[in-house]
Amino acid sequence: MSRYTTLKHRAVTTFQRNVGNPVLRRLPLQTVLETTGRKSGLPRPTPVGGRRIGDSFWLVSEFGTKSQYVRNIQADPAVRVRIKGHWHTGTAHLLPEDDAVARLRSLPRMNSTAVWALGTNLLTVRVDLTD
């Protein structure tokens, strides 16, 4: 990983962790992905952008396997997603073979633009919803 990429990752994740995520996850209509902490076992809510298509919810992680929520999914794929104020349970799947840039074109534009601009290692995630 280049020095620029490392600095970009550190700056973006510091902002998200300390400013963006605490505010966004409290907004009632913000989409939130809740994973189980791989070390703590506690619920870990993360605001995300994405779209429900049928019985699946699709999103793109901007930092791939460096994202904490992706690491949590690798340890335990059982998740919950809050979509339009309603919680849904599901199983998350990491799809490295999917074209994440093409996937972003099918997701909400504002979030997709931010993920594309800030991301360094895009990774598609599909959550198969069970309710």
Side-chain angles (χ1 to χ4, degrees), residues 24-41:
L24 290 174
R25 69 176 159 240
R26 288 178 175 80
L27 299 176
L29 294 180
Q30 171 65 46
T31 302
V32 175
L33 175 69
E34 185 182 84
T35 60
T36 300
R38 64 193 178 283
K39 294 178 184 177
S40 69

Side-chain angles (χ1 to χ4, degrees), residues 49-53 57-60 100 102-112:
R51 173 170 283 141
R52 182 176 184 163
I53 301 171
F57 181 81
W58 293 83
L59 67 129
V60 175
R103 181 69 56 192
L104 283 172
R105 290 188 201 107
S106 71
L107 301 177
R109 183 171 299 194
M110 182 181 272
N111 180 76
S112 292

Side-chain angles (χ1 to χ4, degrees), residues 83-99:
I83 305 168
K84 297 181 181 177
H86 300 285
W87 285 101
H88 306 271
T89 58
T91 303
H93 304 276
L94 306 179
L95 304 172
E97 70 282 354
D98 190 67
D99 182 346

